[in-house]
Amino acid sequence: MNSVSPAGNAAAFLHRYAGLAERLPGAEIPAVRALRDAAAETLTAAGLPSRRLEAWRYTDLAPMLRAEFREALTPVDEAVALPTARADRRAVFVDGRFRADLSFLDGLVAGSLAEVIGTVAPRLNSVASASQPMVTLNTLLFEDGLVLEVPEGADAGRVELLSLVSGETAATVHPRHLIRLARGARLVLLETAASPSGSAHLHNPVFEIEVAEDAVLTHVRVQREAESAYHLAHLGVRVAEGGTYDGFVLNAGGKISRSETHLALLGPRATAHLNGAQLVAEGQLADTTTALDHAAPNCASRQTVKTVLAGRARGVFQGKILVRREAQKTDGYQMNQALLLSEEAEIDSKPQLEIYADDVKCSHGATAGALDEDSLFYLRSRGIPADAARAMLVRAFLQEAVEVVEDEAAREALDEAVAGWWAQHGEAA
C-alpha cells in the first residue's frame, strides 16, 4: 500500500515555493517571509483539503490536484482585449498581476499590492484566517493584488475590479486583495473574473475586507471563467458598528468553483447581506460556503442563495450562522433554494444555526425542486415556445436573489452573465 504524507497533495505547490521564494514580493521583508514560511509549514503538515474535512466534504479537489499547473511567472498576453468598462474607475489584473497601463484609478487611494507590500505587510492575514486552506496556499504564493482604501466620509462611487487569466498554459494565480473603508465611507465594488482564452487554470483570490463604523460596501462578484478552470475564492470580512457589507456572488463558470466567505459583525447595528446565485451545467460543481459570526447585539444578516443545475451538475451550499452570547436581539435569515433541470443534477445543502444568546430572531430553510409543470403549461398554452418558457421560469426563479442588487451596472453585469449561461446551456438543460 502506498503511503502518502500529509503534504502529498500540496507537494507541487511547496516545490514551486521552494524555487520561487526569493522572487516573490516581500521576500526581503522578514514579516512577509515569515508568513510565507509559516504557510509552507502548515501545508507540509496538513496538505490541501480533502473530502475528509467536514468543510470540504462535498467538494472534491482531486481533479485540480492532478492537473499540472504552473505559476504565471510572466504575463502571457500583453495585448489582452478588455470588455467595456462598467465604472469610471477600473483596476485590471492579468494573470494575477496589476496592469497599471490598463487601469484608471484617478482620485482613489489604490494600486498594486506588490508595490506597497512593505507598508501593508502588517495587514496580511489580519482578517482572513491563516488556518483556512486556500488562504494558506494564497499566502504561500501570492504575487500581487489590489490595495484600496476609502477615506473617512468619502463616497468612492463604483469601482470595477477585472481579473483575467489570459494564457494558453495551465497557470495558477493567487491574488491578495486588501480593501478598507474608513468610518462613514461608501464604495460599490464590481468584480469580474473571466478567462477569455478558455485555458485551464487555478484562480485562488483572497480578499481581506474591513468595513469601519457606519461605512457601506456593496460588493458584487461575477465569476465567468472557462469550464476547465478552477476558481476557489476566500473572502474574510469584518464589519464594525453601524457598518454594512452588501455582498452578492454569481458563480457561472469553472469546472469547480467555490466562494467561501467568513464574515464577522463586530459592532452593534452592523448588517450583512450574503446573497448569491449559482448556474451549474454538465460536469461542473459550484460551492457557496459561508460562516457568519454575530458577535455584537442588534445586528442583522440576510442570505438568499439560488442554484440552477443542468445535466449532471452538482451544487453545494453550506451556510453557518453563529450567534454569540453577547449578540442579543440578533436578526438572522438564511434561505437556500435549488432548481434541478435534470434528474441527474444534485444539490448538497447544509444550513446551520449555532445560537448562544436567548433574545434572537433567526431562521433558515432549504428547498430543491424542478420547474413547475403547471406554469410551463400555462406559458406554452399562450403560444410561448418551450425553450423560451423554460428560460422565463429559470429567470423568475433567480429574480428574488438578483433583485436585491441595487447598483444598476452590477445588475446589468448579472443579467448578462445569466443570459450568457442560458444561451450556452439552456438548450441542453
Side-chain angles (χ1 to χ4, degrees):
M1 184 173 68
N2 293 329
S3 176
V4 180
S5 67
N9 64 4
F13 294 101
L14 290 163
H15 177 72
R16 290 202 288 280
Y17 174 64
L20 292 171
E22 300 302 328
R23 299 171 54 184
L24 293 170
E28 74 287 2
I29 301 172
V32 177
R33 190 62 178 263
L35 287 178
R36 294 193 194 273
D37 289 344
E41 291 179 6
T42 299
L43 282 178
T44 300
L48 286 167
S50 70
R51 297 181 68 184
R52 285 178 293 183
L53 286 178
E54 179 61 25
W56 292 82
R57 178 180 176 186
Y58 304 112
T59 298
D60 186 3
L61 296 183
M64 181 194 83
L65 298 172
R66 288 194 293 268
E68 295 182 355
F69 291 124
R70 295 289 183 270
E71 310 317 310
L73 297 177
T74 57
V76 176
D77 189 351
E78 292 285 356
V80 61
L82 300 179
T84 303
R86 296 185 182 275
D88 293 334
R89 272 81 66 86
R90 173 192 255 184
V92 177
F93 285 79
V94 178
D95 299 330
R97 290 182 178 80
F98 180 67
R99 286 283 298 267
D101 58 322
L102 303 177
S103 303
F104 33 95
L105 294 168
D106 292 349
L108 289 179
V109 182
S112 162
L113 169 67
E115 294 180 1
V116 297
I117 192 166
T119 304
V120 302
R123 292 171 55 190
L124 295 170
N125 287 3
S126 65
V127 180
S129 172
S131 65
Q132 294 295 325
M134 301 319 297
V135 177
T136 304
L137 181 60
N138 180 287
T139 301
L140 188 76
L141 292 168
F142 77 83
E143 295 188 51
D144 208 346
L146 175 67
V147 178
L148 173 57
E149 311 256 358
V150 185
E152 183 172 339
D155 186 347
R158 185 189 305 131
V159 178
E160 186 175 13
L161 171 57
L162 180 62
S163 296
L164 302 176
V165 180
S166 66
E168 298 294 339
T169 58
T172 72
V173 295
H174 313 270
R176 176 68 64 101
H177 304 299
L178 306 179
I179 313 295
R180 185 157 66 184
L181 276 67
R183 179 193 296 267
R186 303 179 72 88
L187 169 68
V188 176
L189 182 63
L190 174 55
E191 177 197 353
T192 300
S195 47
S197 70
S199 64
H201 62 269
L202 166 61
H203 187 185
N204 172 220
V206 169
F207 288 79
E208 300 199 65
I209 297 172
E210 298 172 81
V211 180
E213 294 88 343
D214 300 317
V216 179
L217 172 59
T218 300
H219 187 190
V220 177
R221 309 186 66 239
V222 180
Q223 187 272 117
R224 302 178 62 182
E225 295 184 299
E227 293 183 9
S228 56
Y230 300 88
H231 183 97
L232 304 172
H234 184 102
L235 285 76
V237 187
R238 289 181 178 173
V239 185
E241 181 177 351
T244 298
Y245 178 81
D246 188 0
F248 188 95
V249 179
L250 175 66
N251 274 321
K255 184 177 181 63
I256 295 177
S257 62
R258 174 171 166 125
S259 177
E260 183 170 353
T261 302
H262 293 249
L263 185 146
L265 298 172
L266 299 175
R269 298 181 294 101
T271 302
H273 299 147
L274 296 179
N275 298 309
Q278 303 187 109
L279 307 178
V280 201
E282 176 76 28
Q284 294 177 296
L285 183 151
D287 177 341
T288 293
T289 292
T290 59
L292 210 160
D293 184 355
H294 281 264
N298 296 296
C299 293
S301 63
R302 295 288 183 273
Q303 181 172 31
T304 300
V305 176
K306 303 254 185 173
T307 303
V308 178
L309 301 113
R312 288 172 295 179
R314 287 195 58 222
V316 179
F317 171 80
Q318 301 181 104
K320 179 177 180 179
I321 298 177
L322 168 64
V323 182
R324 298 183 185 271
R325 189 177 304 278
E326 60 270 33
Q328 302 294 340
K329 299 192 180 300
T330 286
D331 182 0
Y333 170 81
Q334 180 190 82
M335 175 57 73
N336 167 234
Q337 295 177 314
L339 179 61
L340 283 67
L341 301 179
S342 81
E343 294 184 354
E344 293 79 22
E346 179 181 334
I347 179 77
D348 293 297
S349 183
K350 190 175 73 175
Q352 293 177 275
L353 290 176
E354 185 174 339
I355 300 174
Y356 297 96
D358 53 16
D359 184 8
V360 302
K361 183 171 65 176
C362 286
S363 62
H364 65 183
T367 66
L371 284 176
D372 182 68
E373 291 297 332
D374 290 340
S375 298
L376 194 59
F377 176 79
Y378 175 84
L379 294 172
R380 293 294 310 280
S381 69
R382 275 145 183 82
I384 298 174
D387 287 349
R390 289 165 63 86
M392 290 174 66
L393 293 177
V394 170
R395 286 173 179 162
F397 171 75
L398 293 171
Q399 190 61 31
E400 181 183 351
V402 175
E403 67 183 5
V404 299
V405 178
E406 296 182 354
D407 183 79
E408 184 177 350
R411 289 184 61 127
E412 288 177 0
L414 293 171
D415 288 342
E416 286 181 12
V418 171
W421 184 87
W422 185 259
Q424 186 175 359
H425 301 289
E427 186 175 344

